Amino acid sequence: MSSLFFSLSIAGQSLLTYKRAMDNVNKNMTNVYSEGYSRRVNHFADLPASSVYLKKIERVFDNSLFNRYITTNNQKTGYENYQDILQQIEDIYNDIQGSGFASELTDFFNSFNDVAVNPDDLAARYEVMSKAQALIGRIRNSYDTLINIKEKTSLSIKDSIGQLNDLLNQLAYVNKNIKFYSYDEVRLNEFLDERDRLVKEISSLIDVKVRINEDNTVDLFTAKGFDLLVFDQAAPITYDIDENNNPVVRVRGNDISSILENGKIGGYIKGIEKVNEAINQLNDFTTIFALTVNKQHRQGYDLNGNTDIDFFGIDPESSETTINAGNIVLNITDPKQIAAASDPAYTNSDNTNIKEIIDLQNDISGVLSSSEETDLLSDASITLGSITYTLNNVENYNLIKERSFHEFYSSEIVTPVSTELSHVKNLTEDSNFILDAIDQKIKEYSGVNIDEELINLTKLQRAYEASARIITVTDELLQTVLNLVK
């Protein structure tokens, strides 16, 4: 009779084991379309001289695939956000769609031709002022748009850092629970799925290196080794603005802005660097343009016989003391102030100076004296009249001198952005393709295959039914024995 009770115990143990295993399979099937869910595999073991038990419910996970996903996701999001900034810059100078200022630059110089033909024609002089205003408007609009892109991108970085801090704190909480529930496989596996989801989200924001510890907790570091998270201690990531209005990202007080290349934040920082380059190039173009036109215009005489008149000036509302793309204005307010003549005795008919201004379109050589050029190239700054002209890169003056304003605009302002954008688009497409391939590998390895789960469920149901049948038969035998005893 004791053997019957023993059989009943074995069958009962098996029944509970297969019931728990079926629950796990059912959970897999329920989450077949759940993003980020990793299937759980039942591992059985024999009890000595007894039944079977569910030794382990293992979560299917490949560390190498996961790390490859994190690295590629870093690159992908970095390229995507960098590409977005480059696209916005390119749109500013899209002359085909009318957003650049190449045609306005041509119209400006061409408008002087009618004044050269008839120097005292006020209508022609008004046209010069109109075309100058149109060119200034496009230049200042380009500058304002670049500044706006920079400001919006900086705010996006600030928002991303706030999101990053939240995710790191959530991951710190998950780490604690992973350790706390290390002996509860069901809860543990749920937290491990959450761990992976959070790490993926973090990798889309910032360059990150992942270290998975033996207890399944994770530590996160930047590409250069600054710790972002160690167990349940998340480092505070802070956002600041430097004296040039550039965003500064700090970890525990350390400036890591220059080492961030990937992730959303890294992509945005690279984008701001490109915006700064575009602003500097536009400012240098405007400075050299205003300098040479003003210098030539100051040498002529207007219809009233006045000289030393600046054609362009600095916006009175600007707090800056040097002329640039953000503050350039038309200085003359009366068409008679256009200095067309070189001879003060013939201001109504002499067109010598206006022809010199027209020639600036293709050649600025000789406008500045050798001493003025030396001062400009050595100090990157020169003052003529009441206006100071400062360059970010003195080489830009030589480039315009060797080529022309149009060639500089095309080769140094428009083309570099378009070339970089084309390159980054290719990198983005490649990283997207690689990430999709890795993601597909992860899903094939860790995802739920409904056919396989149905087969497993069928096997477990048969084993469960067999255990239940043993219990039924054993119970009948016990009843028979008991009846015999009576």
Side-chain angles (χ1 to χ4, degrees):
M1 188 158 176
S2 61
S3 61
L4 291 177
F5 283 111
F6 183 67
S7 297
L8 195 62
S9 175
I10 292 175
Q13 172 66 36
S14 299
L15 200 68
L16 292 174
T17 296
Y18 294 126
K19 173 64 170 61
R20 188 177 167 209
M22 284 192 293
D23 288 342
N24 182 54
V25 173
N26 283 325
K27 185 170 185 177
N28 283 341
M29 295 172 67
T30 302
N31 289 278
V32 63
Y33 299 115
S34 297
E35 188 66 30
Y37 178 84
S38 297
R39 64 189 170 92
R40 280 68 153 148
V41 177
N42 297 314
H43 290 282
F44 296 99
D46 294 328
L47 288 170
S50 182
S51 179
V52 296
Y53 74 102
L54 190 57
K55 180 180 180 181
K56 183 179 181 181
I57 298 178
E58 183 183 18
R59 175 176 172 269
V60 179
F61 176 77
D62 188 292
N63 191 25
S64 62
L65 281 175
F66 183 72
N67 281 322
R68 286 175 60 194
Y69 182 96
I70 296 303
T71 301
T72 308
N73 193 38
N74 272 166
Q75 296 171 343
K76 168 186 169 288
T77 52
Y79 292 143
E80 284 178 341
N81 289 281
Y82 182 39
Q83 176 184 323
D84 177 55
I85 305 302
L86 290 173
Q87 185 66 64
Q88 293 180 60
I89 299 173
E90 186 186 54
D91 290 343
I92 296 174
Y93 302 118
N94 193 331
D95 291 287
I96 296 176
Q97 296 183 1
S99 58
F101 57 84
S103 61
E104 281 75 13
L105 183 62
T106 300
D107 292 344
F108 169 74
F109 283 109
N110 288 343
S111 68
F112 286 101
N113 290 324
D114 289 339
V115 178
V117 172
N118 192 356
D120 64 351
D121 185 351
L122 292 181
R125 288 168 173 262
Y126 270 116
E127 183 68 8
V128 169
M129 293 178 65
S130 174
K131 297 302 183 182
Q133 290 283 25
L135 176 58
I136 290 170
R138 281 301 178 92
I139 290 175
R140 291 191 62 165
N141 181 67
S142 298
Y143 178 87
D144 290 342
T145 304
L146 287 169
I147 294 296
N148 187 48
I149 292 172
K150 182 176 179 178
E151 290 175 349
K152 289 196 301 183
T153 305
S154 294
L155 289 176
S156 295
I157 292 174
K158 184 178 181 180
D159 292 341
S160 297
I161 289 174
Q163 183 182 356
L164 175 60
N165 282 322
D166 288 341
L167 291 171
L168 288 172
N169 288 327
Q170 291 178 45
L171 188 55
Y173 173 78
V174 168
N175 266 348
K176 286 195 294 185
N177 281 282
I178 287 174
K179 201 159 190 176
F180 184 79
Y181 290 104
S182 59
Y183 295 104
D184 183 345
E185 291 176 337
V186 175
R187 296 295 300 277
L188 174 63
N189 288 331
E190 290 174 354
F191 280 113
L192 290 177
D193 281 347
E194 180 67 5
R195 178 201 70 183
D196 294 350
R197 183 190 70 81
L198 290 170
V199 172
K200 287 179 180 179
E201 284 196 45
I202 290 170
S203 72
S204 69
L205 294 175
I206 193 171
D207 283 348
V208 66
K209 300 297 181 184
V210 183
R211 182 175 68 196
I212 300 179
N213 302 311
E214 290 184 3
D215 60 2
N216 288 317
T217 61
V218 293
D219 298 330
L220 301 184
F221 305 88
T222 66
K224 298 297 183 179
F226 292 99
D227 61 285
L228 299 174
L229 174 74
V230 177
F231 184 48
D232 63 346
Q233 297 299 311
I237 317 297
T238 59
Y239 166 88
D240 199 1
I241 292 290
D242 65 14
E243 64 276 6
N244 296 315
N245 289 322
N246 294 317
V248 178
V249 182
R250 289 188 171 90
V251 176
R252 301 188 190 279
N254 298 299
D255 184 356
I256 63 169
S257 307
S258 61
I259 64 173
L260 297 178
E261 296 184 356
N262 298 314
K264 188 175 184 179
I265 296 173
Y268 277 153
I269 288 177
K270 286 168 62 178
I272 286 181
E273 291 174 358
K274 188 58 68 173
V275 170
N276 287 335
E277 289 179 16
I279 291 173
N280 289 339
Q281 291 296 86
L282 181 60
N283 279 337
D284 281 0
F285 172 91
T286 306
T287 299
I288 297 166
F289 175 70
L291 169 63
T292 52
V293 172
N294 278 354
K295 175 64 189 302
Q296 189 61 55
H297 192 263
R298 290 174 63 87
Q299 296 176 15
Y301 295 85
D302 68 4
L303 288 177
N304 298 318
N306 298 317
T307 190
D308 290 335
I309 303 170
D310 287 317
F311 193 88
F312 298 108
I314 298 176
D315 191 336
E317 297 182 1
S318 173
S319 60
E320 297 173 292
T321 57
T322 60
I323 196 167
N324 59 41
N327 63 22
I328 185 173
V329 294
L330 182 62
N331 185 57
I332 59 174
T333 57
D334 185 338
K336 293 181 180 181
Q337 292 179 300
I338 296 176
S342 295
D343 189 338
Y346 299 97
T347 57
N348 291 329
S349 57
D350 185 12
N351 64 2
T352 308
N353 197 55
I354 210 73
K355 289 196 292 184
E356 294 290 343
I357 293 176
I358 294 172
D359 290 342
L360 295 178
Q361 180 176 9
N362 298 314
D363 186 8
I364 64 170
S365 299
V367 177
L368 298 183
S369 66
S370 58
S371 61
E372 289 171 338
E373 277 195 353
T374 300
D375 290 342
L376 178 64
L377 296 177
S378 60
D379 299 332
S381 183
I382 187 174
T383 300
L384 295 178
S386 60
I387 300 176
T388 299
Y389 306 86
T390 302
L391 299 178
N392 297 287
N393 180 6
V394 295
E395 185 59 29
N396 285 331
Y397 175 81
N398 292 325
L399 289 174
I400 292 177
K401 185 178 178 181
E402 294 169 1
R403 304 173 189 176
S404 68
F405 287 114
H406 278 93
E407 287 188 28
F408 181 86
Y409 170 77
S410 175
S411 63
E412 303 299 325
I413 294 180
V414 178
T415 302
V417 176
S418 299
T419 302
E420 180 74 356
L421 177 59
S422 177
H423 174 64
V424 173
K425 280 183 177 178
N426 291 333
L427 292 176
T428 303
E429 290 175 2
D430 291 344
S431 61
N432 269 309
F433 176 79
I434 295 172
L435 187 67
D436 288 342
I438 295 173
D439 188 50
Q440 186 60 37
K441 284 284 186 183
I442 291 175
K443 288 178 178 178
E444 289 175 1
Y445 183 76
S446 302
V448 177
N449 183 315
I450 196 69
D451 294 332
E452 181 180 343
E453 298 302 326
L454 283 171
I455 293 171
N456 290 335
L457 184 61
T458 301
K459 291 179 179 178
L460 291 170
Q461 285 176 334
R462 295 292 180 268
Y464 181 87
E465 291 169 358
S467 298
R469 182 59 181 164
I470 291 173
I471 291 175
T472 301
V473 172
T474 304
D475 181 63
E476 291 175 353
L477 289 172
L478 281 171
Q479 290 297 328
T480 301
V481 172
L482 289 173
N483 289 332
L484 288 174
V485 172
K486 290 179 180 179

